[in-house]
Amino acid sequence: MSARPAPALICAGLEVALNRYLQLEPAALDDCAALARHSVGLLVDGFDWCLFIEFNARGVRVIGERPQPASVTLAGAPPAFAGLAVKLASGDSSLPPGLRVDGDADVLQAFRRLLGRVGFDIEEWIAPLIGGAAAHRAAQGLKALLGWGRDSSRTLAQNTAEYLVEETRDLARGIDVEEWMDQVDRLRERSDRIEARLARLERQRTAEPRSE
Amino acid sequence: MSHDPTDPKSASTTHFGFQQVPVAEKQKRVAEVFSSVARRYDVMNDLMSMGVHRLWKRFVIDLAGVRPGERVLDVAGGTGDLTREFAKQVGPRGQVVLSDINAAMLGEGRRRLIDEGVVGLPVLQANAEKLPFADRSFDCVTIGFGLRNVTDKDAALRSMLRVLKPGGRLLVLEFSKPLNAGLSKIYDQYSFKLLPLMGRFVANDADSYRYLAESIRMHPDQGTLKGMMEAAGFERCQVYNLTGGIVAVHRGFRLTA
């Protein structure tokens, strides 16, 4: 790995966040202990940073440099890692596009399973701070707010696309683009055929003996 | 402070701020400083750091990642800021030990802990160079703003390594060297002009706060302290600079049995 170690405070922030997340599910620490001999390397494109996640019975340790190479390395741009974090937080342990894996995929799979099994329940998390009933109402309100945000952004995207397609005609309709691409394909096939025919005629002309 | 045994001058003396004093005398003089400032220690900390010392300590607590049931040793724990938070985290199954070489500071710490309802934890007057605990008896050891006052820092680091369990960690929170030259100049002015003045008006003790500024300048910088920790046997040592390097947290692990 030729990348430089990630700043120590970035490592610290990631470590504290991961350990707090793992603390939500005590059984996850047993999984961390089982992975104690392994490590996961993260290579952040753009910043050219590398960091290593090491496992132990207390959780994880995130460091910028390590004497031995990682068991498995995950490389990609920051948005791809952000996508991974969002997927894991929502219980989906699949890899988002844009991430490259190099090394022991079993270790990565175990790490993803380990993070995926920690359920994040906002209600349980805030209940000790504000009480059970208030936490329930706050969690419902937050869910409604997030749902409204999701719906609004979807509607906004749809309306913008329709405006650009139907009103300003800056974008083509999907069906028109498909038809145009079909026509391009047909044109390509015809030009290939005519090229082949011309080549055949050329060969015939050079093969015929001259009449004079 | 460690010294070169081949140098006859350094073999018999060590620094106390900018002064050279006999090795045997440093501990006594540091004790006088802290006995003098103990009563106003917390007020002065808030005043001198403008409250930022609470954030530095919060960072140490988060980075330590103490779990319920663990055993934690707070060396040079003074007025018990770290001890109080660790006591909450270890819960009834764990244990936190507050230790300090200075009886006056320890007394202040014990009084404050009791005032805040933290009772039943061991409070112990102990020298960091020779910790009176069994080998491999703690999961986490911390020393906050204490290492620079220790006469033989290498011995203290070895002693803290000895009492850590395999897999355990040491966190050193200490003043260090600012990373930026501009900040360094402002910091020098603040330390040598303003700090003694504050000490004089608030704690009625300018000399102790002059010693504080001098002892910070004599303390090893980030890279040197990291090297000392590695030489003592700590692994995976990492430095976390806070507030532009004015303060640094060093963390190292005992990985081998």
Side-chain angles (χ1 to χ4, degrees):
Chain A
M1 221 182 258
S2 61
R4 60 183 196 274
L9 290 180
I10 299 281
C11 295
L14 180 61
E15 179 181 312
V16 171
L18 280 172
N19 281 328
R20 284 196 179 166
Y21 183 67
L22 292 171
Q23 219 167 5
L24 297 170
E25 174 59 64
L29 297 182
D30 297 336
D31 294 348
C32 285
L35 282 170
R37 288 184 178 185
H38 300 287
S39 62
V40 174
L42 304 180
L43 192 57
V44 186
D45 295 345
F47 293 97
D48 210 20
W49 287 341
C50 65
L51 6 76
F52 299 91
I53 301 174
E54 293 183 337
F55 302 91
N56 56 62
R58 294 177 33 253
V60 297
R61 170 169 59 228
V62 182
I63 48 178
E65 42 194 341
R66 191 172 185 271
Q68 304 88 16
S71 314
V72 59
T73 302
L74 204 55
F81 283 109
L84 177 66
V86 170
K87 277 185 162 226
L88 288 170
S90 61
D92 178 359
S93 62
S94 64
L95 275 184
L99 286 179
R100 308 181 302 277
V101 178
D102 179 24
D104 188 348
D106 287 344
V107 174
L108 185 62
Q109 189 64 22
F111 181 46
R112 278 159 48 200
R113 269 200 308 270
L114 152 70
L115 292 178
R117 72 184 286 186
V118 183
F120 181 68
D121 182 359
I122 182 81
E123 192 174 322
E124 186 186 334
W125 194 56
I126 58 174
L129 303 174
I130 60 173
H136 179 71
R137 290 180 71 89
Q140 293 300 317
L142 189 64
K143 275 179 195 162
L145 187 68
L146 289 175
W148 176 83
R150 246 192 324 266
D151 290 345
S152 299
S153 56
R154 197 184 304 123
T155 307
L156 179 68
Q158 273 175 357
N159 290 346
T160 308
E162 276 177 21
Y163 175 76
L164 291 172
V165 170
E166 305 294 345
E167 302 293 331
T168 65
R169 305 270 177 187
D170 284 324
L171 295 181
R173 290 189 306 160
I175 192 162
D176 293 341
V177 172
E178 280 173 24
E179 194 179 322
W180 178 77
M181 286 177 75
D182 287 345
Q183 286 175 354
V184 169
D185 285 343
R186 281 201 292 276
L187 183 63
R188 189 184 296 118
E189 282 168 15
R190 285 175 187 164
S191 67
D192 288 347
R193 277 204 297 275
I194 201 165
E195 191 180 353
R197 190 173 294 165
L198 285 171
R200 186 161 50 83
L201 288 171
E202 187 70 25
R203 277 198 305 275
Q204 276 178 359
R205 200 168 71 90
T206 50
E208 281 175 6
R210 293 183 175 223
S211 56
E212 288 177 22
Chain B
M1 179 69 178
S2 62
H3 48 254
D4 178 3
T6 57
D7 177 358
K9 193 181 170 196
S10 85
S12 55
T13 64
T14 186
H15 62 78
F16 173 78
F18 289 160
Q19 302 171 39
Q20 283 293 314
V21 296
V23 168
E25 199 183 305
K26 175 167 176 172
Q27 195 172 310
K28 190 172 137 261
R29 293 183 70 168
V30 171
E32 285 167 4
V33 167
F34 282 91
S35 299
S36 161
V37 302
R39 276 193 61 241
R40 304 250 174 185
Y41 188 78
D42 287 326
V43 178
M44 280 301 289
N45 269 354
D46 275 330
L47 203 61
M48 287 185 305
S49 71
M50 289 168 271
V52 181
H53 76 102
R54 293 170 191 272
L55 297 179
W56 297 332
K57 287 171 183 164
R58 186 69 245 172
F59 180 78
V60 170
I61 290 157
D62 286 341
L63 196 63
V66 170
R67 302 270 184 195
E70 287 194 325
R71 289 197 79 212
V72 181
L73 172 64
D74 185 10
V75 180
T79 51
D81 282 345
L82 296 175
T83 300
R84 188 177 61 250
E85 290 304 315
F86 288 139
K88 286 181 202 163
Q89 292 177 340
V90 298
R93 289 186 294 117
Q95 187 182 47
V96 184
V97 178
L98 170 63
S99 85
D100 201 300
I101 195 169
N102 188 284
M105 291 291 288
L106 210 54
E108 279 297 311
R110 183 164 52 184
R111 189 185 55 75
R112 252 192 69 187
L113 288 173
I114 291 170
D115 282 353
E116 292 175 18
V118 183
V119 289
L121 55 81
V123 175
L124 186 90
Q125 188 172 6
N127 185 342
E129 296 164 20
K130 297 165 192 153
L131 291 169
F133 300 103
D135 295 358
R136 295 180 285 275
S137 47
F138 290 95
D139 298 286
C140 178
V141 176
T142 59
I143 177 165
F145 301 117
L147 190 64
R148 73 175 188 285
N149 299 310
V150 175
T151 308
D152 188 345
K153 295 174 181 60
D154 293 311
L157 291 170
R158 286 194 300 273
S159 176
M160 291 187 276
L161 179 80
R162 182 184 63 75
V163 301
L164 273 176
K165 293 177 187 174
R169 62 276 187 206
L170 165 71
L171 288 103
V172 181
L173 170 65
E174 191 53 271
F175 290 104
S176 205
K177 192 176 176 203
L179 304 172
N180 177 290
L183 177 64
S184 192
K185 280 181 187 161
I186 296 168
Y187 182 52
D188 276 349
Q189 292 297 315
Y190 176 76
S191 305
F192 291 109
K193 300 265 167 67
L194 221 55
L195 273 192
L197 210 62
M198 279 188 212
R200 198 171 124 205
F201 286 116
V202 179
N204 198 23
D205 183 356
D207 289 344
S208 293
Y209 287 90
R210 191 169 298 111
Y211 162 74
L212 171 73
E214 290 177 3
S215 67
I216 291 168
R217 297 313 184 279
M218 298 304 289
H219 186 64
D221 64 15
Q222 289 91 329
T224 309
L225 182 53
K226 185 182 175 199
M228 287 164 69
M229 286 175 68
E230 285 165 346
F234 287 97
E235 293 179 70
R236 303 287 194 273
C237 295
Q238 191 145 9
V239 183
Y240 303 88
N241 285 301
L242 305 176
T243 320
I246 288 177
V247 158
V249 177
H250 286 69
R251 185 180 66 172
F253 291 83
R254 177 181 184 160
L255 295 183
T256 50

